[in-house]
Structure formats: structure tokens, C-alpha cells
Amino acid sequence: MRVPLSWLREYAPVPEDATAEQVLDTMVTVGFEEEEVHRPTDEIQGPVVVGQVLSREPEEHSNGKTVNWCQVRVVPEGQEQTLTGKGIDPTGVQGIVCGAHNFEVGDKVVVTLPGAVLPGDFRITPRKTYGHTSAGMIASVRELGIGEDHDGILVLSRIGLDPEIGADALELLGLYDEAAEINVTPDRGYGFSIRGVAREYSHAVNQPFHDFVLDAADRAPQANDDAGFPVELADQNPINGVPGCDRFVTRVVTGINPEAPTPPWMASRLRLAGIRSLSLPVDISNYVMLEFGQPLHFYDLATLQDKITVRRAQAGETLTTLDDKQRTLDPEDLLITDASGPIGIAGVMGGASTEVSAQTADVLVEAAHFDPITIARSARRHRLPSEASKRFERGVDPTIQAAAAQRAVELLVELAGGSAQDAAGDVVAGQRPEPQAVRLEADYPAQRVGVEYSPERIEELLIQIGCSLESTTAGEGQTAWMVTPPSWRSDLVAQEDLAEEVARLDGYHKIPSRLPVAPPGRGLTRQQIGRRRVMNTLAAAGLTEVLDYPFVSQAENNLWGDARAGTHVPSIKLFNPISEAKGWMRVSLLPGLLETLRRNHSRGFRDLALFQAGLVFLPASQVGSRHVPAGGLKLDDDVLADVNAGIPEQPWRVGVVLAGQEAPTAPGMGARTLGWQDAVDYAFMVADTLGVEMEVANGSHQGFHPGRTATFTTADGALVGWAGELHPQIVAAGNLPERTCAVELDLDALLAARPDGVQAQDLSVHTAATQDVALLVDADLPAGVLVTTLREGAGDLLEDVRVFDVYQGDRLPAGQKSVALGMRFRAPDRTLTADEASASREAAVALAAERHGAVLRG
């Protein structure tokens, strides 16, 4: 919220010499975070004065352009020029070349004299041009930085001004004003108004606050449903049982001057507040919205047909909004309609058919109170964030509609020459929402904040923000109150909120800084410990942990969610995705990991080893819920069960992607390219960390290279993941590095297979006996199966067996391969003899020959 200081001073005790920085420092003490300072004089500097055109001589030049050689008086006739500087004529008359043609002799204009600086660091100096020395410039609104119009210069009479010649134009146009911008959090919607900010400033400096909204409310005529413009509130489908509109105030102003200009003081304040001046009626609407925090809408009364009806949209209805876009309406949208159909999306944007135009003479003023949830959903559904919806969805004071309409009517009468209708139409649906009283015990703020507050101080602070207090008993002589929050503080619903207000207004700086003592607990769960061990192990192995967005395309889910090509994988579709191309929730971690690898590789990082442990989202039998619960409400058991049933399954996975070299080339050491073997090793590293026995076998997956794919299963045969080198087509299509490898394991399945404990074995002090063996087996026999057989045949003396070579070539029979393995034997109580080791090895080979037809190579 940008707050012009001149505006704030009208309603809060801000010193005349206070700067925006000082105002921000004050607002910080009541919890408003400072953002920026907006000061026009940081970009524009004088001398910039009011001048009067004495003569204008058009001159045509050889380039085809016609310019005006002008004499402009910049000091009153008969007075001396007090400004000095190169190019400033002491007679008070400046010779200026001007290319615009929208002015006449006698017009008063804005003149930037030599020495002035305009936005964009454009410095004004005397210069020779078109055969003359031009000593200054007659400025347009764009050159002054106060608008976008660059078609011609600014003629002051056309904006309702007739100032004295030589007057300071910067002061005349409000350019000496400045604005302090504060960050308004969603729970403090009242801060989106001068009223709300002025109140908070008064709290910060401990000065009384006069609510100027009450003055406008006192001047507003009494509501008269029969005399006002006919309005019907007919919400046939309220959200969560709350009517979309519970108050709708209308006022009529007739005979306005559609050509009346917006006065500079109003245009300046709107500009500093971040809103562009468009036309007087639109500017008045925006001005009152910023001042009171109540969005308004103006209709061209001549375009309205019959009465206004506020209702939900019907299937198939459309509306062309003020931005000239036709929008298809949703049954949840709350509409403003007349006999012709929809004329606006309530609280979001009006329709083009009833827009106030340059021909509008009679205006209908609308000030309504809408349900925040209804407005928030419509604004997001149609992607139409607006200043109005921003306020409605955060909560607007439900008691100020008549006051805001009265303020708008008074400005239309004063500035546009209109006549106000005597009676006001004030339509109410149901009961106006009344603030609910909250019980607060006097010692509660001290318990939560750590600062002792006396009951008198608590009462003082809560009354200061507009609360009403009724004393009640708390037992054992303790003081307590039933506190009723003011209508503009819909965020005060619990005693925690009231305690926070006490702490905020008394001063955050009074709260001591000390570390809290962590409460005793049960610690991490077994699953949490397991996940952390896996992540710590991978990080300690040199991999880099990343965190990707869980949003992917359906094609990516189809590729990585199923091993079979051409399979459609059921996925969770997002209702309002950030990108339509990434509109589904992931069923695999690999799309995000591979995108991160690709992006880093494209930026010059060639050796990459990345991992992530995270959730994937698998649709259950029910996706989503027909209920959309409102915030802050306790749900019925049936509604809660339905919401829970629609939540997708979210198992944990762990993924790894690899590309490049294990280590760079160094003297005496060549580089080694990361490959599928490393992917398999990282998979076993995860299993070993959890103490899970995992078996590996050749596999097939549409995303992995044929013949370089491994599948992993637990001891009970359950598939838990894949590893290997990616398919060359996938690599090429994804602009990935050659020989990119990946791993993905079902972390929840591994955690479920994790043993309750791992028994540590005694370390043998006896020497191991090692023997190698080379076996000739069928080429399609997995090496892992052969290793399992050898372990079984060798018995307890075999401590370890590893494959160190696989050979297939012309010297072997067709369809066979040679597998060389290293076997290590050890006894717990003695040093083995060579004969004992050989006997164990021969038993292992015999079982391999029996089961697989293995032949021992000589």
C-alpha cells in the first residue's frame, strides 16, 4: 500500500516536516514492514514554473516538420526575474521552440527553465535548434512524469487551473508530495486504506484517532428501499452457506459534466498511490476506495435495464468485461445483472456494456459488501487480480458502505457538477455479520509473550484499536473480559489474536530475546531416521541434493511411471497449474532430476551427480473432493472423510542422476566416466544404509538403455526400483549428456523391508584365504544368480564373492560367456588351510554345475 503523506496528514498527526522514511520507521513499530519510498523530486528538479504564451509563430522547415517559435512569459508582467542561470532571460520572457500544436496564445503552460532536470535525467539547457536559441521547454504530462499522454503539451486551463504566472509548477501539480509504501499482510486487509493506515499511525505515536468515515456516515441519508434504485439479492447457491453479498448500497447522481477534469491534487495522490488517472468518475471511485478501503463501482445509469439482481452465474453465460475480453462464467461466480444479463463480476471487474464513458451524464454508485471466499475464487478463476478484489478477499468493513457511497456522491457533486438523489437504496441480505466476542484472561498475554501487562494497560490497548470490553470473572480473583472486536478487524477471532495485538501496540521492542527451551518429545520416527540416513549417506558420497518442483507433463508421467511403452499412467491433474505444459503432479522423481541435470549441464557444469528424496503423487480411487471447506471451520466427520478420501497416495522415492566423469584428469590418473555400474552401486548404497538385502537382475524399462538396465527386488520378490543408463533416444530428445545414468527406488518399500535391527558380527583375527574361479555359463544367465548359487554351495566359510570380469568372444562356444569371480574364505576360530578353502570352492562350483551347467575353465 502506497500512502501519500499529504493524504495521510489529513487524518493522522503526521508532522509537516516528516519524511517518508520517518513515517516508515513509525509504522514499523506497529508491525507494518517498510517497502519503498516514492518521491517525484528524486527524478524531477526545478526551476519548473507556470508560463503564459505571448506569441506563437509556426515555421516550416526543410525536413517537412512545422515547429512553433514561441515567446513565453514566466514572471508576472512588471516584475523582475529573480531566477538566475545560463539561459534564463532577466526580462522574464523566454524564447522557446515547441513542436506541439495543441495550444494557443494566452494559454498558461508548464515551462521547464534551463537548469531543470526531468525524469530520465533529461537536463534542460539553452540550445540552438531550427535557427533559434531555445531557452527552456514547454512540457507535456509524459515529460513531467505525471502521465502517458505525449500528444501535446499540458495546458493548465484544461485541468481546471488558472494559476499566477511564475508560480512553482511542481507545487501546483503536487510533485513535492511523497509516498511511503508498506507491506500489508493478508490478515490485515484494513491496512489497504488511508483510514486503516492513519489509525495505525495514531496508535504508533499514541495520539487520538478521529474516524473520518463516521462523519460521512452521519451525512448519508437514511436507507430507503422503496425510493432507491431497485436491487434484489438472490444468491441461489451460497458457498459454505454464506451469501455472496449481504449488503448493497446504491446512490444516484444526475447531470454530471463528463468533460470535467480530475483536479491535480487528486491525480497527484492517485499517481503516488500507484493508480493511473483515467477520468474524473473513475478517479473518484478509486480515490474513495483508497481512502475508506471500500471498493466502489459506477454504472452509466442510462445503460441499466430494469433492476439490478445479484446472483450466481448460470451455465453457459458470458460477460465482456472492462478489459474488452469475453469471459465464460462459472456457476460459483457472483454476478451483478440487469434485465439484459450479466453486467459485472461482483467485486472483481465490471462489464463493458454499462461502463461510464465520456457521454455519461447520470451515474449509479454501488457500494457493496461481498463474501471474501466468493471474490477470491472468481479473481483466481478468471485471472483477474484487481485493487477491488485484493481488498474484498482480505475482508472489507461491513458497516461503511453507506459512508463510502456518500463520500463518492459528494465528490461527484463538488467536482463534476452533479446533483445527488435524496434517498439511498440500501439492500441487506440476511443479518449483517456481527463480530463475535472473544474471552481473554488478563494473564494470557503475559503467558504467551513473556512481558507483564497490567489489566489497565491491556484494556487501554484493546480499546485503542476499537474493541469493546465487558468484564467477567476468571476464578480466584483473576480479571477477564469478553472482547468484541471492531467491524474492520475480522482477523481477531481468538485470544491468541488479542494477545498479539497487545504485544504489537505495546511495542515489539519490549519483548525480551531469549532462546526457548525445546519441549521434550519422542524424537524422530523410524521412517524419518531411515530417510535422513539415506540422504546423509548420498550427500557424504559426494552427490548434490536438489529440490525440484513436483509439476510435470502427462508425457513425462507416461514415460517414467511405467516400464512398458505406450502405457497411459493415471495422474493428478492440477486445476490451476503454473504452466499448462506442467499441469500434472509427478509419479516419478526422474523428470525433475533430469531437468535439473540438463539445465546445469547447459550452463557449463559437465560432471554431475544429483539426488533427491521426495514424494510422488499417485491417484487413489477418488481424486479430490466435492467439498471445498472454508478456512477456520471445524469440518463434519462426513466432510472430513470425503476430503481425506480424495487425497492422493504420496509415497517416498529416492532418485539419483549421473553424467560426466567421476573425477577430473590429473597427473598419473586418467578420468573415469560415470556409468550404469555407478548407478547400480548407488542403489546398493541406499539398501546397505538401511540394512536391506536387495537383489539385482537384468531388466527392461522404456526409459532405460536395452541391456544396460537393472531391476531391484527385495528378498520377498517385490520390485523396488530401477537403475541404469538412459535410452539414447531419451538422451537426445532431452538434450542430456551422453551416457546419462539414473536410479529410482521406492524408499517406503525399502523402509518397510528394513530389519528391526542388524546384529554386528565379531571381527575375525584370522587370515583370509582367497581363490579365483572362472566359469563358463550360458550368456543369458544373470551374474547375480550365479553369485547366489556360489554362496549357497560354498557354505559358511565363504565370506565374500565378487564378479571381476565377464568375457564373451570368438574363443568361446556360441551362446556362452566366461564369468570370473574372486572368492574370499575365512573361519571364525582358525586360519584355513588351502585344502579347506579349495574344498569350499569346489562345492560351490559343483552346485553351479548342477543348477546352471557351469563348466570350470582351466
Side-chain angles (χ1 to χ4, degrees):
M1 173 72 181
R2 295 185 183 184
V3 184
L5 298 197
S6 65
W7 205 351
L8 184 62
R9 286 190 180 98
E10 293 184 2
Y11 306 110
V14 181
E16 288 296 326
D17 59 349
T19 65
E21 289 85 355
Q22 291 170 330
V23 169
L24 287 174
D25 289 343
T26 302
M27 298 305 295
V28 166
T29 64
V30 288
F32 282 109
E33 181 181 348
E34 62 182 81
E35 290 287 341
E36 294 185 58
V37 169
H38 302 272
R39 185 178 290 115
T41 51
D42 289 343
E43 293 189 335
I44 185 170
Q45 300 173 20
V48 181
V49 299
V50 175
Q52 186 174 38
V53 180
L54 301 180
S55 66
R56 168 189 165 192
E57 301 176 12
E59 298 178 352
E60 292 187 10
H61 290 269
S62 58
N63 62 0
K65 186 174 183 180
T66 299
V67 300
N68 297 298
W69 171 240
C70 305
Q71 299 296 313
V72 185
R73 180 176 294 282
V74 295
V75 296
E77 189 173 3
Q79 295 185 16
E80 295 183 358
Q81 173 64 273
T82 58
L83 298 174
T84 60
K86 182 180 179 180
I88 298 180
D89 197 310
T91 67
V93 177
Q94 299 291 125
I96 299 174
V97 173
C98 182
H101 306 283
N102 67 320
F103 64 99
E104 303 294 339
V105 172
D107 283 342
K108 291 183 179 180
V109 294
V110 176
V111 180
T112 58
L113 295 174
V117 181
L118 297 183
D121 198 29
F122 182 66
R123 299 179 180 273
I124 305 300
T125 59
R127 60 191 182 94
K128 291 185 177 181
T129 180
Y130 294 105
H132 302 280
T133 298
S134 182
M137 185 175 73
I138 306 175
S140 69
V141 293
R142 181 185 291 182
E143 289 162 340
L144 294 170
I146 61 175
E148 297 300 322
D149 184 11
H150 196 53
D151 295 335
I153 65 170
L154 173 61
V155 178
L156 295 175
S157 62
R158 294 173 190 164
I159 59 172
L161 296 177
D162 185 22
E164 182 182 13
I165 297 172
D168 187 344
L170 297 183
E171 182 177 1
L172 182 71
L173 299 173
L175 295 176
Y176 286 128
D177 200 359
E178 52 188 306
E181 184 174 357
I182 58 175
N183 178 30
V184 180
T185 54
D187 61 324
R188 301 176 72 178
Y190 64 92
F192 281 113
S193 66
I194 299 297
R195 178 200 191 199
V197 175
R199 182 186 299 276
E200 291 297 323
Y201 186 91
S202 299
H203 296 338
V205 297
N206 198 26
Q207 295 291 325
F209 171 74
H210 176 71
D211 193 345
F212 54 91
V213 171
L214 300 179
D215 299 335
D218 290 340
R219 297 192 298 270
Q222 292 296 316
N224 188 334
D225 293 341
D226 296 330
F229 189 89
V231 176
E232 179 184 2
L233 304 184
D235 186 354
Q236 73 277 19
N237 189 27
I239 297 177
N240 301 319
V242 179
C245 176
D246 54 38
R247 195 164 194 83
F248 201 98
V249 175
T250 58
R251 295 290 301 277
V252 173
V253 180
T254 59
I256 69 169
N257 177 10
E259 297 182 355
T262 299
W265 60 267
M266 179 178 287
S268 171
R269 288 179 174 179
L270 290 174
R271 183 175 61 254
L272 271 176
I275 294 180
R276 184 163 56 98
S277 176
L278 296 174
S279 67
L280 181 57
V282 174
D283 291 348
I284 289 174
S285 172
N286 287 329
Y287 190 85
V288 176
M289 176 186 68
L290 292 173
E291 192 171 47
F292 282 24
Q294 168 66 52
L296 303 177
H297 190 71
F298 291 178
Y299 301 89
D300 185 336
L301 187 63
T303 64
L304 293 175
Q305 302 179 26
D306 196 21
K307 66 179 179 180
I308 282 180
T309 301
V310 184
R311 60 171 175 82
R312 299 286 170 174
Q314 298 172 2
E317 283 190 298
T318 61
L319 169 68
T320 301
T321 46
L322 289 174
D323 56 2
D324 290 327
K325 293 183 179 179
Q326 187 178 68
R327 303 183 183 276
T328 300
L329 303 173
D330 186 274
E332 270 197 353
D333 290 331
L334 188 69
L335 303 182
I336 311 298
T337 69
D338 66 2
S340 66
I343 58 174
I345 303 175
V348 179
M349 185 173 285
S353 63
T354 57
E355 179 182 9
V356 173
S357 67
Q359 289 73 43
T360 298
D362 303 330
V363 172
L364 177 72
V365 177
E366 167 207 306
H369 183 258
F370 298 118
D371 170 42
I373 294 177
T374 293
I375 304 307
R377 290 187 184 178
S378 289
R380 284 157 178 75
R381 182 180 300 115
H382 296 286
R383 293 177 173 84
L384 267 179
S386 63
E387 290 293 329
S389 65
K390 179 168 65 176
R391 287 163 173 80
F392 278 126
E393 65 188 46
R394 288 164 173 78
V396 168
D397 188 343
T399 67
I400 64 170
Q401 286 68 46
Q406 176 65 22
R407 175 64 165 153
V409 167
E410 291 171 352
L411 289 173
L412 283 169
V413 171
E414 176 187 352
L415 302 178
S419 299
Q421 177 179 293
D422 291 337
D426 187 349
V427 182
V428 179
Q431 296 296 320
R432 174 185 291 174
E434 297 294 339
Q436 298 297 312
V438 179
R439 178 182 173 83
L440 177 66
E441 297 182 1
D443 59 349
Y444 186 81
Q447 294 174 7
R448 289 294 177 266
V449 180
V451 175
E452 291 296 328
Y453 302 104
S454 67
E456 295 75 18
R457 180 58 172 163
I458 294 174
E459 285 191 21
E460 175 190 355
L461 295 175
L462 294 180
I463 292 174
Q464 190 176 39
I465 65 172
C467 295
S468 61
L469 283 72
E470 181 181 346
S471 296
T472 185
T473 57
E476 300 182 2
Q478 292 292 325
T479 301
W481 305 273
M482 293 302 295
V483 182
T484 303
S487 58
W488 58 87
R489 293 301 302 271
S490 59
D491 58 309
L492 303 181
V493 297
Q495 59 181 348
E496 290 83 358
D497 303 323
L498 299 175
E500 183 179 356
E501 287 298 292
V502 171
R504 180 176 70 87
L505 295 177
D506 191 64
Y508 288 136
H509 63 283
K510 296 181 181 179
I511 300 176
S513 298
R514 57 175 180 264
L515 292 175
V517 178
R522 294 174 296 176
L524 300 176
T525 65
R526 191 165 184 267
Q527 286 74 17
Q528 290 171 329
I529 293 172
R531 289 195 292 266
R532 291 197 180 190
R533 284 182 178 174
V534 167
M535 290 186 282
N536 289 339
T537 297
L538 292 174
L543 281 74
T544 301
E545 184 177 10
V546 299
L547 182 63
D548 299 308
Y549 286 116
F551 313 126
V552 299
S553 67
Q554 180 64 58
E556 288 173 317
N557 276 347
N558 290 342
L559 173 62
W560 298 109
D562 197 295
R564 300 163 297 175
T567 303
H568 175 77
V569 175
S571 306
I572 303 294
K573 179 73 169 67
L574 295 172
F575 180 74
N576 188 22
I578 296 175
S579 166
E580 289 297 334
K582 301 286 185 180
W584 286 261
M585 300 299 289
R586 68 189 179 198
V587 299
S588 167
L589 299 180
L590 292 184
L593 281 168
L594 292 173
E595 173 59 24
T596 302
L597 183 140
R598 183 203 61 78
R599 186 168 57 250
N600 281 275
H601 187 268
S602 69
R603 286 159 173 74
F605 296 95
R606 294 293 180 259
D607 305 323
L608 296 164
L610 313 176
F611 81 94
Q612 179 179 187
L615 300 174
V616 297
F617 304 87
L618 309 179
S621 57
Q622 174 183 327
V623 178
S625 169
R626 65 181 184 276
H627 299 96
V628 183
L633 298 178
K634 183 178 180 180
L635 304 182
D636 295 336
D637 291 341
D638 292 342
V639 174
L640 184 60
D642 185 67
V643 170
N644 288 332
I647 298 174
E649 297 180 18
Q650 300 173 53
W652 278 82
R653 300 279 175 82
V654 59
V656 175
V657 292
L658 311 167
Q661 298 177 348
E662 181 183 31
T665 303
M669 183 180 69
R672 189 182 72 82
T673 301
L674 294 167
W676 64 266
Q677 300 94 332
D678 298 281
V680 172
D681 286 345
Y682 284 125
F684 276 112
M685 183 183 294
V686 170
D688 291 344
T689 299
L690 299 175
V692 175
E693 291 289 338
M694 194 167 66
E695 298 180 1
V696 62
N698 288 336
S700 174
H701 191 291
Q702 59 175 325
F704 287 90
H705 191 299
R708 298 176 187 171
T709 306
T711 62
F712 299 98
T713 55
T714 55
D716 59 0
L719 179 66
V720 292
W722 308 83
E725 183 178 321
L726 298 190
H727 197 291
Q729 293 178 353
I730 303 298
V731 170
N735 294 318
L736 297 170
E738 292 184 6
R739 313 297 292 272
T740 297
C741 299
V743 182
E744 184 167 26
L745 298 174
D746 187 333
L747 190 53
D748 279 350
L750 291 175
L751 290 169
R754 184 183 180 190
D756 293 334
V758 178
Q759 180 62 47
Q761 302 296 320
D762 293 335
L763 294 177
S764 175
V765 297
H766 301 285
T767 305
T770 59
Q771 294 191 15
D772 296 337
V773 63
L775 298 175
L776 194 63
V777 296
D778 291 339
D780 57 356
L781 178 67
V785 175
L786 181 60
V787 168
T788 301
T789 300
L790 292 175
R791 286 184 182 277
E792 181 181 347
D796 295 339
L797 294 181
L798 180 64
E799 186 176 74
D800 186 45
V801 56
R802 292 180 181 274
V803 177
F804 64 83
D805 185 48
V806 177
Y807 171 74
Q808 285 180 277
D810 297 338
R811 291 182 291 176
L812 296 180
Q816 292 197 314
K817 63 182 177 183
S818 173
V819 181
L821 307 99
M823 307 177 72
R824 184 171 69 239
F825 303 92
R826 193 193 309 264
D829 56 349
R830 67 189 187 283
T831 299
L832 291 176
T833 65
D835 290 342
E836 287 177 310
S838 296
S840 182
R841 184 196 68 172
E842 290 170 0
V845 171
L847 185 59
E850 178 185 340
R851 288 187 179 176
H852 312 300
V855 177
L856 183 65
R857 295 186 66 196

